Amino acid sequence: MSGYVGILVSDPWLQNQFTQVELRSLKSHFTSMRRESGKLTVADLASRMSRLKVVGDQNLSEEERASLIQSFHPNLDEEVDFEFYLRVYLKLQAHVSAIIGSGAKNSSAFLKAATTTLLHTISDSEKSSYVAHINNYLAGDAFLKKYLPINPSSNDLFEITKDGVLLCKLINVAVPGTIDERAINTKSMLNPWERNENHTLCLNSAKAIGCTLVNIGTQDIIEGRRHLVLGLISQIIKIQLLADLNLKKTPQLVELVGDSKEVEELMSLPPEKILLRWMNFQLKKSGYKKTVTNFSSDVKDAEAYAHLLNVLAPEHGNPSTLVAKNPFERAKLVLEHADRMGCRRYLTAKDIVDGSPNLNLAFVAHIFQHRNGLSTKNKQISFLETLPDDTQISREEKAFRFWINSFDGSLYINNVFEDLRDGWILLQTLEKVSPGIVNWKVANKPPIKLPFKKVENCNQVVKLGKQLKFSLVNIAGNDIVQGNKKLILAYLWQLMRCNILQLLRNLRFHSYGKEITDVDILEWANTKVLNNGSQSRMNSFKDKSLSAGTFFLELLSAVQPRSVNWSLVTGGVSDEEKRMNATYVISIARKLGCTIFLLPEDIIEVNQKMILTLTASIMYWYLKQPVEDKPTASSDSDTGSHLETTSNSTTDDSASESSLD
C-alpha cells in the first residue's frame, strides 16, 4: 500500500544539486549504511563511503576521507542525517574534482558517474559468500537441485534468479512459511506472465519480512541486474542470520542486561545492535579494552575477533593469534580458529581487513547462532515468564513497521515504539499519505535533544490526525513521546487505513468523486464474489466465517480467475486447513501485486483491521487494472456503481477506526 513518494530533501539548495533519481540512489546507499548498525555517526563515514566510486578508495584513501571529514565537522560522535551526508559527499566530490581536474561544471553532472558506478558495482566476495549460503541452505530443494550447486566464480546466480523461484525459496529459508510454495510457478519453462507473477510474489513477500526495496522492480530481476539482485539477496540472508537475536528465540540474552527496565530496552533494539551488545559483553570477559560499534572499521585489525573466539572456544585457540603484528596474518589465524569451531563462513581474511560490513556482520551472526556463550541457567530468564503476553502487539508493531519502511526507502525504522517518539518520521509518513498536510516550518528535525521539541512534533502529529478525522480520544503528543504502545498502534492503524482509502479515493473514475468508506469496500467485495457465481458473503470485517479463508479465495478468483488453483483449497474446517488456506490467500494476493503485511494468524483469528487492509488492497489492485485485463463476468460499471449507493450493511464504519477499546 505504498503511497505518495515525498520529497527526500527539505533544503532547497540541496534539492537543486541533484535530480530525484540521483537523490533516490544516494538515499538507498545512506539507508544501507545506517541499517548496518542502526546508527551512523560522523566517525563512521570515512570507512562506509569507501565503495562510492568518485569519493571512494580509488580516488581517496580512508585516512584522507577521515581527515577531510574531520575538517568539515570536528564532532565525530554526532549522528548523521541524510542532508548532512549529502553535504559531506559534495565536499569530498569537490576535493576529488580539484585533484583529478575533472572540469565538472556542476555537481549533478559529476554525480551521475558516481551513482551509476556505485549502483552497478558488486562485491565478488559478497557474491561468493551468498552463493555458498544458497548452495548450503537450498541443497535439498527438489526443484532447484538441477541448478545447484551454483559456481560462485561465475555469474550463474543472476541467470538462475531470473524466474523468481530461487528468490521465493530463499525468503522461505529466512522466514519459514512466508510464501505458500503452492503459489510459486515452478514449471520448467515459464511464460513471461508466470515469471512476472513469481517476481511480484517475491518482491511483495520480501517487503513483508522487512526488506527495504528501493529502485527494484520485476523487470530488474528479469534482466538480472546484478547490483539490485545481490542487494535483495543480501537483505534476505541478513534477516535469516539475525532471526535468533531476540528474547523470544534466545531468552539467554537477558544475561546482557541488569534489570527489568534494561530488558525492555533490549527488546526494543534492532538485531544488529543486540549483536554488537552481545559481542562487547563477551569481549569484556577477555579484558579487551575497546568497544566495538560497527562491523567495519572496528574489526578490521581482527583483534576483537581474536579475543571473542578465545572467550567462546578457548580450546580451539592459537597463542600466535593475539601476538601477530600483521592484521592480515591475524585475520587468517582468526578464521582458522573459527574453522575449528565449525563457524568459518561468509568471509575471507581480506574481507576482514577491508572492513566489509555485510560479511563481517554475517560472520558474527553465524558465530552467535552456533556458540553464543550465554548461560541457560540465568535467574533472569524466569523474569521473562512474568512479562505480559504481547503477541498481538508484536504482530501489529511489525506490520506497521514494515508498512512505513515500504514507502520508498526514504523512511526506515527499527522499532515503532522507539523510533517514532520524536514525531519526525510520523510527520514524514503523514506527508506521504496526505501530501502537503505537514507544516514543516514548525517541525523540529532530528537529532532533537530538548524533550519539548519532540512534544511539539507529536502535538502536530495528533493535530493532523484529527484533521484527517482519526478517532483520537484522550491522546496527546506526549503519549507518543512517552512510547505509549496502545495509543501509537491505534494512531498507526488509522494512518494505514487512511492511506489505502486515499489511494482508492484517488481512483476517481471508480468512486465518482465520492468518499470511499469501509462499507463501500465490504460491499465491493461481496458484489464481486456474487457476480462470480458464488453465494459466499462476509457480513462485516469481524465475520467469524472469514477464518476459513475461502471467501478471500473466492474474491481473488473473481478479480483474476486464473489466480486460484481450487484443487489446492481445503474446506477450512480444522485449524490446519484454515492455516493452509490463509497462507495461500496471502501468497496469491501478493502474487497478483498486493502489498500487504498481515500474517495467516490475522485471517484465522479474524483480525478486523488486517482483514480490512487485505480486502482494500485487493480492491485497489483490481481497480488499477486496465479494463481489457479484467474478467468479463463483471463489467467495469458493476465494480463502480455500488459506490454511488448507500449501503444497508451492518458494518460499523467507526469500528475500523477504533483501536482504543
Side-chain angles (χ1 to χ4, degrees):
M1 285 182 286
S2 297
Y4 173 79
V5 177
I7 297 172
L8 296 177
V9 177
S10 57
D11 186 315
W13 181 82
L14 278 175
Q15 287 179 28
N16 290 332
Q17 307 307 306
F18 308 98
T19 68
Q20 280 293 305
V21 172
E22 292 162 353
L23 280 175
R24 287 178 191 277
S25 298
L26 284 171
K27 184 67 180 185
S28 174
H29 181 250
F30 173 77
T31 303
S32 175
M33 290 193 300
R34 190 175 62 180
R35 194 165 51 232
E36 284 162 10
S37 60
K39 181 180 179 182
L40 189 67
T41 65
V42 176
D44 297 327
L45 288 177
S47 62
R48 302 285 181 87
M49 297 176 81
S50 62
R51 290 178 61 190
L52 287 163
K53 282 293 183 180
V54 174
V55 303
D57 288 345
Q58 77 281 25
N59 288 324
L60 293 172
S61 68
E62 184 175 329
E63 290 72 22
E64 287 174 318
R65 280 194 304 277
S67 176
L68 287 166
I69 291 170
Q70 190 167 6
S71 70
F72 306 151
H73 198 82
N75 185 1
L76 298 180
D77 295 327
E78 186 171 328
E79 192 167 350
V80 173
D81 65 14
F82 183 48
E83 293 190 5
F84 182 93
Y85 163 76
L86 290 177
R87 287 188 172 88
V88 169
Y89 184 95
L90 289 171
K91 288 177 179 178
L92 291 176
Q93 171 211 289
H95 180 81
V96 172
S97 179
I99 292 172
I100 65 177
S102 69
K105 294 184 179 179
N106 62 71
S107 60
S108 179
F110 191 69
L111 180 66
K112 285 179 183 177
T115 55
T116 301
T117 49
L118 160 70
L119 288 178
H120 288 273
T121 299
I122 67 168
S123 162
D124 286 332
S125 288
E126 286 191 25
K127 182 187 71 173
S128 296
S129 293
Y130 300 153
V131 165
H133 180 96
I134 289 166
N135 287 340
N136 180 56
Y137 283 94
L138 290 173
D141 186 87
F143 178 81
L144 293 173
K145 64 183 180 182
K146 57 190 171 187
Y147 303 112
L148 302 179
I150 301 168
N151 181 355
S153 63
S154 72
N155 286 321
D156 291 351
L157 172 65
F158 308 109
E159 289 299 316
I160 295 169
T161 54
K162 285 183 177 180
D163 66 6
V165 177
L166 185 146
L167 293 172
C168 286
K169 293 194 179 256
L170 191 61
I171 287 171
N172 269 357
V173 170
V175 184
T178 300
I179 296 175
D180 188 328
E181 297 201 2
R182 297 175 297 174
I184 304 173
N185 298 319
T186 55
K187 295 189 308 189
S188 56
M189 289 293 292
L190 299 178
N191 62 41
W193 180 281
E194 292 165 330
R195 202 163 51 233
N196 188 71
E197 286 183 331
N198 280 351
H199 300 148
T200 304
L201 173 60
C202 162
L203 294 177
N204 281 323
S205 299
K207 289 180 189 176
I209 65 170
C211 294
T212 303
L213 306 183
V214 180
N215 295 336
I216 180 169
T218 58
Q219 192 62 29
D220 299 308
I221 302 175
I222 292 169
E223 295 176 4
R225 293 184 181 170
R226 298 184 300 164
H227 57 292
L228 296 175
V229 172
L230 201 66
L232 174 58
I233 290 172
S234 172
Q235 289 192 66
I236 296 169
I237 291 175
K238 180 179 174 184
I239 288 168
Q240 176 190 344
L241 292 173
L242 297 177
D244 291 344
L245 280 148
N246 59 73
L247 289 172
K248 186 175 181 181
K249 291 279 188 72
T250 312
Q252 298 89 342
L253 283 166
V254 293
E255 192 177 341
L256 307 186
V257 297
D259 54 34
S260 59
K261 186 175 181 181
E262 289 185 350
V263 169
E264 290 189 12
E265 179 192 343
L266 184 71
M267 292 169 71
S268 70
L269 290 176
E272 297 94 324
K273 284 195 172 183
I274 296 176
L275 189 62
L276 283 170
R277 184 175 287 198
W278 166 79
M279 187 173 179
N280 286 308
F281 174 80
Q282 300 295 358
L283 287 172
K284 280 184 181 178
K285 296 177 183 178
S286 73
Y288 188 69
K289 302 299 183 186
K290 300 175 186 176
T291 299
V292 177
T293 62
N294 59 62
F295 294 106
S296 182
S297 56
D298 287 359
V299 295
K300 289 173 75 169
D301 59 10
E303 284 186 16
Y305 285 152
H307 285 274
L308 177 66
L309 298 187
N310 275 346
V311 169
L312 298 176
E315 70 276 16
H316 296 303
N318 181 341
S320 302
T321 307
L322 288 172
V323 297
K325 301 296 183 184
N326 183 291
F328 186 78
E329 291 303 317
R330 188 183 305 117
K332 288 200 294 185
L333 292 170
V334 161
L335 292 178
E336 289 174 8
H337 190 161
D339 196 24
R340 291 190 290 272
M341 292 169 60
C343 294
R344 180 170 181 164
R345 271 199 199 156
Y346 299 107
L347 82 177
T348 63
K350 184 178 185 299
D351 297 323
I352 293 177
V353 297
D354 285 350
S356 172
N358 287 339
L359 297 182
N360 276 294
L361 183 147
F363 177 60
V364 178
H366 185 61
I367 292 170
F368 176 87
Q369 283 184 339
H370 288 268
R371 189 178 294 205
N372 60 41
L374 299 174
S375 171
T376 57
K377 298 179 180 179
N378 194 297
K379 292 180 181 179
Q380 287 178 291
I381 293 179
S382 60
F383 164 76
L384 296 177
E385 297 172 2
T386 68
L387 293 175
D389 182 11
D390 63 349
T391 303
Q392 183 62 34
I393 288 177
S394 177
R395 281 205 330 240
E396 291 193 13
E397 186 277 334
K398 185 181 290 186
F400 295 137
R401 171 162 38 102
F402 292 167
W403 170 66
I404 290 173
N405 290 345
S406 75
F407 272 95
D408 58 15
S410 61
L411 303 179
Y412 186 83
I413 59 173
N414 285 303
N415 183 282
V416 158
F417 307 122
E418 293 299 319
D419 296 351
L420 300 183
R421 288 169 64 170
D422 64 8
W424 180 257
I425 288 181
L426 276 173
L427 288 172
Q428 289 182 300
T429 309
L430 280 158
E431 182 70 22
K432 291 179 183 296
V433 171
S434 185
I437 195 171
V438 177
N439 182 354
W440 293 110
K441 291 181 181 178
V442 298
N444 303 295
K445 189 175 182 180
I448 305 172
K449 293 189 168 42
L450 299 174
F452 78 90
K453 294 287 186 182
K454 297 179 182 179
V455 175
E456 285 179 353
N457 278 355
C458 293
N459 282 341
Q460 185 178 180
V461 166
V462 173
K463 177 184 175 184
L464 296 178
K466 291 177 178 177
Q467 189 176 319
L468 292 169
K469 300 180 182 178
F470 294 178
S471 175
L472 300 174
V473 180
N474 298 325
I475 180 172
N478 195 50
D479 292 312
I480 299 173
V481 175
Q482 296 301 318
N484 186 309
K485 293 183 179 181
K486 185 177 181 181
L487 296 180
I488 289 172
L489 291 178
Y491 190 97
L492 286 174
W493 153 239
Q494 294 179 80
L495 188 56
M496 179 190 269
R497 175 178 173 272
C498 177
N499 179 219
I500 188 60
L501 292 180
Q502 190 88 345
L503 292 172
L504 287 168
R505 193 177 301 125
N506 289 342
L507 297 173
R508 290 292 183 182
F509 57 93
H510 287 290
S511 64
Y512 298 94
K514 177 183 177 293
E515 293 291 303
I516 293 179
T517 67
D518 298 2
V519 174
D520 293 322
I521 297 169
L522 180 80
E523 284 302 305
W524 172 85
N526 282 328
T527 301
K528 291 303 299 175
V529 171
L530 181 64
N531 288 349
N532 201 43
S534 173
Q535 298 303 308
S536 297
R537 180 178 179 81
M538 64 171 164
N539 295 316
S540 73
F541 296 114
K542 297 184 286 185
D543 190 333
K544 293 300 181 185
S545 69
L546 296 175
S547 67
T550 49
F551 177 84
F552 293 109
L553 291 167
E554 295 273 13
L555 178 59
L556 289 164
S557 181
V559 299
Q560 178 48 264
R562 62 183 294 277
S563 63
V564 177
N565 181 346
W566 285 101
S567 68
L568 302 176
V569 178
T570 74
V573 177
S574 68
D575 290 344
E576 180 58 27
E577 287 181 341
K578 289 179 180 180
R579 175 168 290 278
M580 290 177 70
N581 282 353
T583 307
Y584 194 47
V585 165
I586 293 170
S587 291
I588 293 299
R590 287 176 179 153
K591 185 176 176 180
L592 288 182
C594 301
T595 302
I596 48 177
F597 300 96
L598 77 167
L599 294 171
E601 290 82 359
D602 294 313
I603 296 177
I604 296 167
E605 297 167 13
V606 193
N607 179 333
Q608 72 176 87
K609 291 180 285 189
M610 293 304 168
I611 293 290
L612 169 59
T613 61
L614 170 63
T615 312
S617 295
I618 296 170
M619 179 180 180
Y620 179 64
W621 174 85
Y622 175 80
L623 295 182
K624 282 197 307 179
Q625 302 311 301
V627 174
E628 61 271 16
D629 290 346
K630 294 178 181 176
T632 55
S634 301
S635 69
D636 192 46
S637 59
D638 288 337
T639 63
S641 61
H642 71 282
L643 296 180
E644 297 179 282
T645 65
T646 302
S647 171
N648 294 319
S649 169
T650 58
T651 299
D652 178 9
D653 191 36
S654 65
S656 296
E657 296 180 2
S658 177
S659 293
L660 303 176
D661 299 339

